[in-house]
Amino acid sequence: MSWTRKHLLDIESLSAHEITTILDTARAFKAVGERAIKKVPALRGKTVINLFVEPSTRTRISFELAAQRLTADIVNFSAEASSLKKGETLKDTARNLEALNADIIIIRHSASGAPHFLSRFLKASVVNAGDGAHEHPTQALLDTFTVLEKKGKVAGLNVTILGDILYSRVARSNIWALTKLGANVTLCGPSTLVPKIFEKMGCRVTHNLEEAIANADVINLLRIQHERQRRSMFPSLGEYTSLFGLTKARMQKTKPDVLIMHPGPINRGVEIDSDIADSSHSVILEQVTNGLAVRMAVLFLVNGGKGPQEVAA
Ligand code: CP
């Protein structure tokens, strides 16, 4: 079966086969990125718009580079300097961008469901670059790609996601991707941020950090999403770190080959000790590198590519 979707809105609706098709296509594009000439003409003549209505460093820049590597024209929309500030709606903004012949609109927005909303009336492909606390599909894809590259498999691995799960779109997309591919996913953090209801997504919930990290093959750390919390979910950052921060002492109790991941931005000394973020266990910067290949794959596929077999060897 080859890729048939016009949009990438979430991981929840994807099959394991579709996730694998994206990851296989990303692997082919990663090989392209290791050549002397890193550009391919797959999206020549196409226009891609980065419609980011929330701040971003990694996602926006890697989508921009991905589009350039595919020879597309890419335009970065600046929300602060746009007519959104004059009261123009998201719908009108997107329709005006489409009137400028956009083929793919990549959207990051604070409202959950914003990409799904655009996909209902746009002819252009829509790619979700993070919507509220709902999903961040390309982050989960690059995380899964990195786990596969480092561990050789996903099925059967013990993956612990540690931190602010409740407000994290990265957590939700990772849970869907990892469980669909057969990993054992454990969620850990304060009970206010990791409610038991997440067990309905097919993962285990614990509030015991020592237990959550002892058998983990992968620990994916999440920052506290202060921007989405309407009230404080724990007494202080210091207390959070003392109870749930990955410190050097706690690291001693993990498996010797544990992978440490983080989607970024990291808050050094809060959810992760600075030395651990920079240690040989950490693949945080490799995640960023892999994001480029994953986003090339996503743009290629939503534009009509069928799979890795179409990426020139
Ligand atoms: N991981 C991530 O989404 O980072 P940015 O917010 O910098 O894009």
Side-chain angles (χ1 to χ4, degrees):
M1 194 179 87
S2 57
W3 185 265
T4 55
R5 289 179 191 256
K6 183 177 158 194
H7 310 292
L8 180 69
L9 302 177
D10 54 39
I11 301 289
E12 182 179 3
S13 64
L14 299 186
S15 65
H17 184 83
E18 287 174 309
I19 294 170
T20 303
T21 299
I22 301 174
L23 300 179
D24 290 346
T25 308
R27 198 168 303 108
F29 277 120
K30 187 159 180 180
V32 169
E34 283 155 8
R35 295 181 196 157
I37 296 172
K38 298 173 172 50
K39 253 181 143 161
V40 290
L43 265 67
R44 186 175 5 213
K46 301 290 179 179
T47 301
V48 179
I49 297 190
N50 257 342
L51 173 51
F52 276 57
V53 189
E54 261 197 341
S56 168
T57 296
R58 283 147 288 270
T59 313
R60 188 185 63 73
I61 291 175
S62 70
F63 266 121
E64 185 176 351
L65 267 176
Q68 287 173 353
R69 292 273 173 93
L70 295 167
T71 324
D73 296 317
I74 171 98
V75 177
N76 284 307
F77 173 93
S78 163
E80 284 303 308
S82 77
S83 291
L84 283 172
K85 288 278 159 197
K86 300 178 206 163
E88 190 165 32
T89 64
L90 178 64
K91 182 173 186 175
D92 283 335
T93 301
R95 293 186 70 202
N96 277 270
L97 296 176
E98 189 171 62
L100 293 166
N101 287 329
D103 297 289
I104 303 174
I105 294 183
I106 302 161
I107 178 167
R108 169 169 288 193
H109 202 282
S110 58
S112 296
H116 300 70
F117 171 66
L118 295 194
S119 73
R120 291 212 295 267
F121 58 85
L122 289 181
K123 287 189 213 69
S125 293
V126 177
V127 175
N128 183 356
D131 62 325
H134 175 230
E135 283 223 34
H136 191 346
T138 56
Q139 181 67 46
L141 290 164
L142 74 88
D143 291 344
T144 309
F145 184 94
T146 306
V147 171
L148 257 176
E149 202 173 57
K150 292 289 168 188
K151 295 286 188 186
K153 63 175 186 175
V154 173
L157 288 182
N158 297 324
V159 180
T160 291
I161 306 177
L162 173 57
D164 177 355
I165 309 293
L166 185 61
Y167 293 97
S168 173
R169 54 196 176 205
V170 174
R172 284 173 181 77
S173 287
N174 263 277
I175 293 166
W176 289 125
L178 291 164
T179 55
K180 282 171 194 268
L181 296 186
N184 309 310
V185 179
T186 297
L187 308 179
C188 182
S191 55
T192 47
L193 293 175
V194 191
K196 284 278 183 190
I197 193 148
F198 276 95
E199 287 176 348
K200 292 197 169 169
M201 292 177 75
C203 43
R204 197 170 70 89
V205 168
T206 177
H207 306 113
N208 179 332
L209 177 63
E210 275 65 35
E211 185 221 320
I213 63 176
N215 284 317
D217 299 297
V218 177
I219 302 174
N220 197 350
L221 294 150
L222 302 177
R223 74 181 172 89
I224 305 296
Q225 308 265 313
H226 292 291
E227 68 273 29
R228 297 188 212 292
Q229 296 177 9
R230 285 192 202 92
R231 61 190 169 92
S232 184
M233 305 301 280
F234 47 85
S236 69
L237 277 184
E239 179 150 336
Y240 177 85
T241 304
S242 75
L243 290 173
F244 292 103
L246 193 60
T247 58
K248 277 186 268 190
R250 289 184 175 130
M251 193 65 191
Q252 299 297 320
K253 296 178 182 159
T254 60
K255 283 186 166 182
D257 60 349
V258 67
L259 277 193
I260 300 299
M261 304 182 75
H262 195 308
I266 61 177
N267 289 136
R268 291 175 182 265
V270 181
E271 69 271 13
I272 186 167
D273 185 284
S274 202
D275 288 345
I276 299 171
D278 299 328
S279 73
S280 58
H281 291 278
S282 167
V283 291
I284 295 171
L285 293 177
E286 287 170 74
Q287 291 171 254
V288 177
T289 302
N290 289 334
L292 177 55
V294 163
R295 290 175 176 126
M296 285 176 79
V298 167
L299 295 179
F300 175 75
L301 293 170
V302 299
N303 186 59
K306 298 292 170 218
Q309 68 278 8
E310 291 188 342
V311 181

